[in-house]
Amino acid sequence: STNNAAFGAVECPSALFAKGLKTYGTRTYISHDNKPHTAEMVVGFDKEKFKNTCLAGKNSPTYNPSLCNFDAIANELFKADEKWESRDLLYDAFKCHGKLHGWIPALQQKQMSCNRFGKNSTSRDYVGGTLKVGCTCKLDITPLVKEKYFATKESKKASYKDIWDEPVMIRNANCEHGGSCMPGKQNLIAATQRAGGYLNELPDITMFTLCNLFEQDGKLSTSLIKKVVGPVWPKNKVFTKNNVFNIRVRVKRSLAAFKSANGDYEDFKQMVNASDLLSGIDDEVSLNDDEAVEMAQSLWAEVMNDVDKDEVLFSFIDYLELISVRAKGFVYELAEDKTKVGRKRVVGVIWQTATMRKNFELFGDFIGLDMMKRGINKLLWPYAAVAMYDDMRQLCLACEGVLCGERTDMYQFIANFLASSTPERTLEDVKIVAGDAFFNQELIERLGFSNATLILDRWHLLDSGLQKMFGNSGYSKLSGHLIRMVESNSESEFDSYYASAHVLLTSMERRDGELEKTLKKFGDTRKNFVSYCIAAIPGNRGLLGNANSEQNHSSALAYLNDGVKGKNYYCQHLTTLIKDLLHREQWKRNKTNALIFKLNQELSIEKARLSMAPATDTNTDLITAADKLNNNSYQRYKGSRNRADAELCVSSDICPLTQETVIKVSSVKHPDAPPRIFHSVTDRCKCHGRLKEDDMCAHEIKANGGFQISFFKTCHLKRECVEGSLSGWAPPTTRPIDEIIGYEAVSTPALTVPQSEQEDGTDFLVGTPEDGVVNKHENAAALPMDCFPEKTGKCKPLDTHAVKTVLSQVSAAYGRVGEDLQFEMSALVLQLQELLTVDPNKSKTVISHSGYSVKQPNQSLISSQPKGRLMPQHEIRSKNASKNVNRLIQNLGMKQVVVRNEAVEVELNGRNVTHCSFCKEESHAFTTCPNREAFKMNAREYILSSNLKFATNQQALRSRIGSMPHSLAQKVEGLSYLGRLDKTQLRSNFVLHEARIMVDKTMYYHVSFLNEHAQPGEKSWISWDVMNTIITHSNVKRKFVFDKTITHKQGWIHQNVSASSVGLLGVASVSNDGNAVLSFHDTSKRKSPSSSSVVTDKPQHEQEASKPSTPKRLYRVASEKEQALSKPS
């Protein structure tokens, strides 16, 4: 505001109002010359009138904002050469003005000033920014009475002491706030926090209560401190963990005074400073602060106290109705089950405050949809919200509520509510919707987001989504390809991995058509999850999933559980839940306001610095941008502007196709890079840097010559605080408050069967428990041999397999039946969906007198809700592994905390060096080894170990070798092969490339052994008995085998092996039709002991010891004669 103290001869209303606050009188005082002086001075100041007129937070009937021009009031109150009765009176008026205007006064000997007066002298980075920002508001005062005294008895020169209780005079007055000081609510909060005002001005009755509780219990929990201090804490100040700590320390220090007062409040009050925290604008409520939050607390106690146990279930409807009547911008809507005829059955509720509406208008380009299935309310309805990130990457909401389940109709209800409550942004304006695997692109468009692109959450997709999509078998084959496709940064990179995966599937000996179809669908829907596709969407914010919704769920749980993370102990009635969620909205808003204030302070300092710098084109352009943009947008613009000046050049050219003049922006740093072409200055660039935040990139800045406000959206512009919006909101029609409350619970009567129906012959069991239960059908068929009799007489439901079978049959036949039958089946499906929402056997229907009904779960169902959060598989494995000493964790160089049964925790130090057991490289484990993943791209992996986790792999490998495709030798040829291996090769991992049948009906295998760094050596042929030896692995240490024969090659043929003969690797021979078969004859008479080593359960070293002595040679080249001699009989 500006100083309007006088306009011509007419004083402004604010100045006249300020003049009426002061009371003048005549006073006589003795100056330092011992002469009496009589003067007119200010002897009183009406502080209450000032507050009631200029502070709206108290709902004063005399509040008049037209009289609250604070600059004009200050210039009238504090005039130079004006006398005041005492310094305390002057400082009291000065302080009251600061509280209402939004700044904190500082008092020194002969100076009163804003505490942001002067220059910054500390390098510490505070949340609210630096304190000293060059403010110019200052009063110089001088005492009119001084006391003469001598320092010592021998002193001859007299000294004078200022007497501040006597009249003082304002010598100089400057009431303008200069520099970067911007009086206001957030300025008051930041300055008070830095001055320690929120701790020092805590009311004495609050301190007395905390001291009393601390003495009785011996501790003060965080939740207890918040509950006691909350009623006297300013509404716009975030209650931080630092505030909790400081209050706890002050209570401990005040405990001595409390004990000395012997529990008497009056004596205790004299020992501590009485104060009032709620006297400034930091407790004031406006539209931007959401009046709904203010209404929530005051109405909650009123509603909860006026209803009994069952009526509480419906009190949330009236609670929301009362808030919507009294709070501007607040709307809510009940979700009703439209499939039921008769009374209206409530299945959910959702609401939106004025702040949420503004959030959606500003940041609704990118939204996240999800539900949190936690028992945080008595109806066990999941929590739902539309989550977003603001310009500072802070969480904000468009609406929130609780709905009966994660269903399509519930998400449709949310979309319809958004469309009706926020007309400024239609659903067609939303560009990106992030969600989990519940959604697909078709569903997003059906909800109303017709122009939005679905982004599947990256974390959920990699954690479990791909495995569910392709199945366990398909995922094990393609996991390496799929992960690389998801993380591809270019189309060519994606296509290469996709082609490799397609070749892998189509070259298998037994092709899986369903898996190939799934891979094709995966490639067709790439725009929903692949990195390069997401980067091409305008306004993607650099996000790869639904992080905003996940953060919102974690934030809500932590807030509702008083800061406890990972567990949920909160389960309240909907009315209480709504009240707490609205307070959480206030808490988030206050935190965001503090951050906005800090960033605006930094931006104002940046403008002042640029103003003092040379007036170059760049600096002038940056000043214009800093005046319009918010801090984050300005920093991005400044970086792009600097890049445009340093690395880019602009030129004009003629387009060869249209013969139009175009603007070319080329790179000086990379002259070979293709230039960016702009047909006009309004064309938008398609580089990833611009698409990420949808603002100006370096190319556009160079093409346009600087800052263009039209290229920025509203969310990029500067704002002073979190705002609310009333756009499209209309005051609701009110109902009489006396008629709102009043419901009665009606339990559903138990179903009774008429006597006639009980005796109609449907009961097939007769007899008594003593005689045994006898079936009326005496000629019942005997039980088959594989069917075991029931152990009890209890009736049992269908097992899981039977239910899956029926549902799959129904699903398959649904499209072929008639429309009438489809309607009946649809009704049954909706009943199944309802059963999955709330168990009817563990709930009752509660009905209100106005026609609403809900399903109320019983206490056992509520108590059975999981307390912990859902954990991914890797966290579950890590938690289970922490119960035992795990050498693998130590080998990775990490510490491990082992929990014993006695609840004793032992910390084990990790080893210094971390090596991969596959490639021996440091800093990663074999599970994340890139070399291993490269081998798995075109081969099937078998991990051999005696560990139970890999126990079945050796049998699977033997079955594979017994049935793998092979090639045929075209002529009689001498094949150089390894008949024996050295110890290094026996222990090495290896790759199997090919199997070949020779003309003499002998099987050989083409392999390459990997060294300790996972590098393949020269390919070699080995005999079938050597293969038998190297796949017999009985050690715990893992051995990796990669089978590349899964990629079928031209000329290969398949083996015909019976299922009963693939369990062991025996003698290989060829049948008359040219196909290889396995025979298991007695091999004890074979010449070479190594060739006759049939698979055994003995350990490897025992097998080696049992062999007769043979010449010590590493390999041999077999001649045709030797091959004939060694050929099995």
Side-chain angles (χ1 to χ4, degrees), residues 798-814:
L798 293 176
D799 57 18
T800 305
H801 177 72
V803 173
K804 286 183 178 179
T805 302
V806 173
L807 291 179
S808 62
Q809 292 175 354
V810 170
S811 178
Y814 182 77

Side-chain angles (χ1 to χ4, degrees), residues 496-607:
S496 64
Y497 288 124
Y498 180 83
S500 177
H502 185 264
V503 170
L504 179 63
L505 292 183
T506 55
S507 61
M508 287 185 175
E509 52 187 292
R510 292 181 178 86
R511 293 177 60 176
D512 188 340
E514 190 65 28
L515 188 58
E516 294 178 13
K517 183 179 179 181
T518 305
L519 179 63
K520 184 179 184 304
K521 182 180 178 181
F522 180 82
D524 294 339
T525 58
R526 68 179 72 179
K527 69 175 183 178
N528 299 129
F529 49 81
V530 179
S531 296
Y532 84 88
C533 294
I534 297 175
I537 306 174
N540 61 80
R541 307 294 301 275
L543 300 173
L544 297 175
N546 199 11
N548 39 16
S549 291
E550 299 299 331
Q551 181 181 346
N552 179 46
H553 295 167
S554 300
S555 171
L557 278 180
Y559 185 86
L560 296 175
N561 288 277
D562 292 327
V564 177
K565 299 180 180 179
K567 296 286 185 180
N568 177 45
Y569 303 100
Y570 183 95
C571 186
Q572 299 292 338
H573 288 287
L574 279 182
T575 306
T576 305
L577 174 64
I578 294 170
K579 183 260 298 183
D580 292 338
L581 288 177
L582 287 174
H583 273 272
R584 170 176 169 259
E585 179 69 17
Q586 180 192 47
W587 169 75
K588 292 203 313 308
R589 185 187 65 247
N590 291 339
K591 287 186 63 177
T592 306
N593 280 335
L595 184 57
I596 291 175
F597 178 78
K598 176 187 176 182
L599 296 179
N600 286 346
Q601 287 284 313
E602 295 176 358
L603 201 57
S604 62
I605 295 174
E606 171 75 1
K607 284 177 57 180

Side-chain angles (χ1 to χ4, degrees), residues 101-104 116 127-129 182-194 198 235-238 281-282 284 288-289 586 588-601 719-722:
H101 193 193
W103 51 274
I104 294 296
R116 291 183 170 250
V127 175
M182 297 178 291
K185 188 181 301 181
Q186 294 304 317
N187 182 78
L188 178 64
I189 293 173
T192 306
Q193 178 70 24
R194 284 290 304 276
Y198 290 114
K235 299 179 179 62
N236 297 286
K237 171 67 178 72
V238 181
I281 62 171
D282 51 355
E284 184 181 21
N288 290 340
D289 302 321
Q586 180 192 47
K588 292 203 313 308
R589 185 187 65 247
N590 291 339
K591 287 186 63 177
T592 306
N593 280 335
L595 184 57
I596 291 175
F597 178 78
K598 176 187 176 182
L599 296 179
N600 286 346
Q601 287 284 313
R719 54 177 180 161
E720 299 298 329
C721 63
V722 177

Side-chain angles (χ1 to χ4, degrees), residues 616-811:
T616 62
D617 292 340
T618 299
N619 288 344
T620 304
D621 187 57
L622 291 178
I623 291 175
T624 304
D627 193 49
K628 299 293 184 181
L629 302 179
N630 58 49
N631 191 293
N632 295 69
S633 299
Y634 169 77
Q635 291 188 28
R636 290 194 302 270
Y637 178 82
K638 182 180 179 181
S640 299
R641 172 74 199 207
N642 292 337
R643 184 193 166 205
D645 293 341
E647 301 179 9
L648 302 179
C649 62
V650 62
S651 61
S652 299
D653 201 353
I654 303 297
C655 178
L657 298 178
T658 62
Q659 299 300 317
E660 295 178 350
T661 303
V662 297
I663 303 173
K664 292 175 58 176
V665 178
S666 307
S667 174
V668 178
K669 189 175 182 181
H670 304 284
D672 297 335
R676 301 282 177 177
I677 305 297
F678 297 90
H679 294 276
S680 67
V681 292
T682 58
D683 280 359
R684 302 308 304 267
C685 184
K686 293 182 174 139
C687 68
H688 287 175
R690 189 199 72 82
L691 294 175
K692 181 179 178 181
E693 295 291 345
D694 204 8
D695 52 7
M696 287 190 78
C697 64
H699 308 103
E700 293 178 343
I701 294 173
K702 197 68 176 179
N704 288 271
F707 177 75
Q708 294 292 331
I709 188 64
S710 60
F711 279 25
F712 291 88
K713 298 186 294 187
T714 309
C715 61
H716 297 135
L717 304 183
K718 184 187 297 184
R719 54 177 180 161
E720 299 298 329
C721 63
V722 177
E723 300 173 344
S725 172
L726 298 180
S727 178
W729 174 82
T733 56
T734 60
R735 293 186 296 166
I737 300 300
D738 295 337
E739 298 179 3
I740 286 183
I741 301 177
Y743 298 92
E744 66 179 283
V746 179
S747 58
T748 304
L751 295 177
T752 57
V753 182
Q755 186 69 19
S756 59
E757 295 184 13
Q758 296 178 0
E759 298 177 356
D760 61 354
T762 57
D763 188 2
F764 295 105
L765 301 179
V766 297
T768 62
E770 290 79 8
D771 299 333
V773 179
V774 182
N775 199 305
K776 284 185 176 181
H777 302 286
E778 297 179 358
N779 298 325
L783 291 174
M785 293 298 295
D786 58 347
C787 183
F788 297 97
E790 296 283 351
K791 294 183 178 180
T792 65
K794 182 180 178 181
C795 296
K796 296 182 179 180
L798 293 176
D799 57 18
T800 305
H801 177 72
V803 173
K804 286 183 178 179
T805 302
V806 173
L807 291 179
S808 62
Q809 292 175 354
V810 170
S811 178

Side-chain angles (χ1 to χ4, degrees), residues 163-181:
I163 306 300
W164 296 111
D165 292 337
E166 296 293 334
V168 297
M169 183 179 68
I170 302 176
R171 191 171 68 249
N172 295 311
N174 183 6
C175 299
E176 301 293 334
H177 292 265
S180 299
C181 181

Side-chain angles (χ1 to χ4, degrees), residues 953-1003:
N953 289 356
Q954 189 168 155
Q955 182 67 22
L957 178 59
R958 293 183 181 280
S959 301
R960 172 64 185 170
I961 292 177
S963 60
M964 68 171 48
H966 60 270
S967 60
L968 292 174
Q970 301 298 325
K971 61 181 180 178
V972 178
E973 57 182 4
L975 187 68
S976 177
Y977 71 94
L978 297 178
R980 294 196 61 198
L981 304 176
D982 60 14
K983 293 184 178 179
T984 303
Q985 291 172 320
L986 288 172
R987 293 193 300 265
S988 298
N989 308 319
F990 66 92
V991 181
L992 176 57
H993 300 279
E994 182 185 351
R996 177 174 295 181
I997 292 290
M998 303 303 293
V999 176
D1000 57 358
K1001 302 181 181 180
T1002 308
M1003 178 79 78

Side-chain angles (χ1 to χ4, degrees), residues 941-959 1031-1039 1063 1095-1097:
E941 180 189 58
Y942 297 89
I943 301 179
L944 307 181
S945 173
S946 61
N947 191 321
L948 293 178
K949 183 178 180 181
F950 310 106
T952 61
N953 289 356
Q954 189 168 155
Q955 182 67 22
L957 178 59
R958 293 183 181 280
S959 301
I1031 66 173
T1032 304
H1033 187 76
S1034 58
N1035 299 330
V1036 176
K1037 183 179 179 181
R1038 290 175 291 272
K1039 185 174 187 177
V1095 177
T1096 176
D1097 293 331

